[in-house]
Amino acid sequence: MTSTTTDILDHWVDGKPWAGESDRVAPVFDPALGTQQRAVRMASAADVGSAVASATAALPAWRDASVATRSRFLLTFRELLNARKDELAQILTAEHGKVLSDAAGEIARGLEVVEFALSMPHLTKGEFSQNASTGVDVYSVREPVGVVGIITPFNFPAMVPLWFFPIAIAAGNTVVLKPSEKDPSASNWLAALAIEAGLPAGVLNVVHGDKEAVDALLVHPDVAAISFVGSTPIARYVYQTAAAHDKRVQALGGAKNHMLVLPDADLDLAADAAVNAGFGSAGERCMAVSVVLAVDSVADELVAKIAERMGGLRTGDGRRGCDMGPLITRAHRDTVAGYLDVAARDGADIVVDGRAVRPDGAADGFWLGPTLIDNVPTGSQVYRDEIFGPVLSVVRVGGFEQGVELINASPYGNGVAIFTNDGGAARRFQRQVTVGMIGVNVPIPVPVAYHSFGGWKASIFGDAKAYGPAGFAFFTREKAVTSRWLDPSHGGINLGFPQNS
Ligand code: NAD
């Protein structure tokens, strides 16, 4: 497209904004106003090549920088980010639409990963076996993998980049980040902050773009590893393409998260949880609860409690103290709203209709209010698809076994929750479900930064979860050294192990 605005967001290469060669741009909207607020450059393959060249040139010095130097950068970065988080939250709300409190929550979770990355001196200590054979020591160290490509989705424009680049950089890698073109400004803001915190130019680059930019990263011979988060079809494609080009890949995909409510649960707690987890960030969260599995005997009461709470939610401009903001684009809003027609056609009951909401904000915003659909048939697309909006489905089940059966039949396996006061049932649940992250009376079980984040089945491709120990392992590779020193004063050389082993 041709830009209608003079405000064009550049790439960030070699420590500064960079226009690149491509003249392609894409619009960036303010979803609460429904208007374009700026444009963003769309990189060509050659532009991506320049960013990779910058990261490649910066690699030797950064890889060889002392652990203390890298840690000091992270500490300063953490302090600056914490001090300026309100500024970043404003950017998130303006481009994504999520309310300011959700934006603050996203930044808080990102900060946790920066704090985890500060433990790099401890993580890279390695292992040492003295005298594995007489006079022979064996030790293992972990080194950076090289230039890392990070490709991120629109729904957490600060947190998901922060899941990866602090750990990658702390471990001595250099980075080319390709954020979502729908809300790209947060990535430039973070890259500029990193320079201010003392990061050498070229260690963290940002290229903006779409499939063309992603494809260029996936096949570039100087990119050693790819971290991806996004929808399942693209995650599968990224995994297969990057692996075919000899890269290590972690690719996190989509989700359809269930919450099973047993009859002995605290129904007020469960209703609060369903509303928070269903409609926070307008349901545009990969850990959002999308389906409540309500056991028949308590289903009517639970649905009434959820609907009552939804009546108290204020949908509107996230800058005006509302509870829920708009969706990311008009097209996505229309796709999500279309599921209400599907629900009606498939015989489900629309208990709360978000299309009727009058938002607190501009008429042209990409609005859809919180929506509750009961008695959703499991054959319906409303049940099967990842809707990724403020639509909560209720499926009624006979009991625990039927609930677990449905959860395990889902192609996705990102998050799941059980609400119960029965410890034995909770324990059985945790053992039986084929899901990567499980909440017991916790609706959004996102692990803290010193554990790792990731689902199972079609919610992840590759075996490396994000951040925590798995993230550290992904961004480093091990060297094992077997060492012997001649020491004549202690009997000279031992020629046994390792030659004969
Ligand atoms: P998306 O898959 O459309 O885009 C993700 C990234 O891939 C973006 O940077 C985009 O530019 C790029 N991309 C899009 N189409 C491409 C193509 N054809 N070829 C190559 N690259 C392409 O996802 P989205 O709409 O930005 O984000 C929402 C999705 O992300 C949801 O499915 C959500 O569940 C998922 N998500 C998953 C997690 C997780 O941890 N599992 C976390 C956040 C979001």
Side-chain angles (χ1 to χ4, degrees):
M1 66 157 285
T2 317
S3 173
T4 54
T5 163
T6 50
D7 180 5
I8 300 179
L9 182 72
D10 284 332
H11 312 293
W12 183 276
V13 174
D14 232 4
K16 52 188 180 306
W18 180 66
E21 295 170 7
S22 162
D23 55 7
R24 239 170 20 105
V25 294
V28 178
F29 291 95
D30 182 326
L33 302 180
T35 54
Q36 182 178 342
Q37 51 178 321
R38 69 193 316 190
V40 59
R41 298 204 184 276
M42 296 278 102
S44 64
D47 292 335
V48 171
S50 298
V52 173
S54 168
T56 306
L59 182 63
W62 186 246
R63 184 185 51 207
D64 291 341
S66 69
V67 175
T69 300
R70 290 195 230 124
S71 291
R72 263 185 232 118
F73 152 69
L74 271 171
L75 192 56
T76 312
F77 181 74
R78 192 261 169 217
E79 291 307 291
L80 288 177
L81 180 53
N82 192 43
R84 305 232 193 109
K85 57 191 177 198
D86 292 347
E87 203 182 305
L88 180 57
Q90 291 286 347
I91 293 172
L92 300 180
T93 296
E95 289 190 1
H96 176 281
K98 62 180 67 178
V99 299
L100 280 171
S101 54
D102 280 335
E106 150 165 19
I107 298 166
R109 297 314 299 260
L111 269 166
E112 274 185 25
V113 182
V114 182
E115 288 155 9
F116 168 74
L118 274 164
S119 60
M120 200 52 65
H122 173 72
L123 290 168
T124 48
K125 269 188 326 204
E127 294 176 324
F128 188 91
S129 299
Q130 181 170 263
N131 233 24
S133 184
T134 309
V136 174
D137 302 327
V138 179
Y139 54 96
S140 304
V141 292
R142 296 198 73 91
E143 298 196 348
V145 293
V147 176
V148 171
I150 299 172
I151 302 153
T152 55
F154 81 82
N155 64 322
F156 284 107
M159 183 186 78
V160 174
L162 285 166
W163 279 359
F164 300 106
F165 80 73
I167 299 174
I169 285 173
N173 302 281
T174 58
V175 170
V176 176
L177 167 64
K178 207 303 284 173
S180 170
E181 64 277 29
K182 296 185 179 119
D183 42 19
S185 299
S187 289
N188 283 43
W189 189 92
L190 288 166
L193 196 77
I195 291 290
E196 201 177 326
L199 192 70
V203 175
L204 174 60
N205 304 277
V206 181
V207 287
H208 298 291
D210 49 16
K211 178 173 170 53
E212 186 174 347
V214 172
D215 284 347
L217 272 177
L218 301 184
V219 304
H220 199 296
D222 293 338
V223 174
I226 293 286
S227 299
F228 173 90
V229 179
S231 58
T232 286
I234 311 296
R236 181 183 284 116
Y237 165 77
V238 164
Y239 176 71
Q240 292 175 350
T241 309
H245 288 82
D246 301 335
K247 302 180 196 324
R248 61 170 67 180
V249 198
Q250 53 180 174
L252 283 70
K256 186 83 181 178
N257 305 314
H258 294 65
M259 170 175 154
L260 175 60
V261 182
L262 298 187
D264 67 358
D266 179 328
L267 293 188
D268 287 310
L269 179 73
D272 285 340
V275 169
N276 289 334
F279 306 116
S281 284
E284 292 172 326
R285 292 199 282 215
C286 69
M287 289 293 276
V289 166
S290 180
V291 180
V292 172
L293 298 173
V295 173
D296 283 326
S297 56
V298 292
D300 284 344
E301 193 182 345
L302 181 62
V303 168
K305 284 179 184 289
I306 293 173
E308 184 197 331
R309 284 160 174 75
M310 288 171 65
L313 293 178
R314 200 153 64 92
T315 303
D317 190 321
R319 292 159 289 217
R320 295 152 73 115
C322 296
D323 301 303
M324 198 185 90
L327 295 180
I328 184 72
T329 58
R330 186 175 306 285
H332 185 54
R333 182 260 169 223
D334 292 346
T335 304
V336 175
Y339 280 98
L340 278 91
D341 298 330
V342 177
R345 192 191 64 208
D346 290 349
D349 302 320
I350 300 175
V351 182
V352 181
D353 187 339
R355 295 169 299 192
V357 159
R358 291 177 64 82
D360 175 0
D364 288 338
F366 308 145
W367 306 115
L368 183 67
T371 295
L372 182 63
I373 309 176
D374 194 5
N375 290 307
V376 174
T378 53
S380 171
Q381 270 179 286
V382 174
Y383 176 73
R384 291 201 313 266
D385 293 358
E386 180 184 34
I387 297 176
F388 220 57
V391 176
L392 188 60
S393 297
V394 177
V395 173
R396 295 173 178 235
V397 292
F400 177 95
E401 282 74 21
Q402 198 192 347
V404 170
E405 217 170 277
L406 280 173
I407 290 162
N408 288 348
S410 169
Y412 299 104
N414 214 40
V416 74
I418 185 168
F419 277 72
T420 180
N421 280 317
D422 177 345
R427 190 168 182 281
R428 229 179 321 129
F429 183 81
Q430 170 255 305
R431 294 273 296 163
Q432 290 180 4
V433 290
T434 52
V435 178
M437 293 173 282
I438 298 162
V440 176
N441 296 317
V442 171
I444 302 200
V446 173
V448 288
Y450 42 94
H451 287 253
S452 297
F453 180 105
W456 282 18
K457 302 193 283 188
S459 297
I460 199 166
F461 298 87
D463 68 350
K465 290 187 169 196
Y467 67 72
F472 168 69
F474 184 77
F475 289 126
T476 54
R477 51 187 169 173
E478 193 180 76
K479 252 181 195 164
V481 181
T482 303
S483 151
R484 177 176 56 216
W485 291 97
L486 304 184
D487 189 355
S489 63
H490 281 78
I493 184 167
N494 175 329
L495 289 177
F497 172 84
Q499 278 80 356
N500 298 335
S501 59

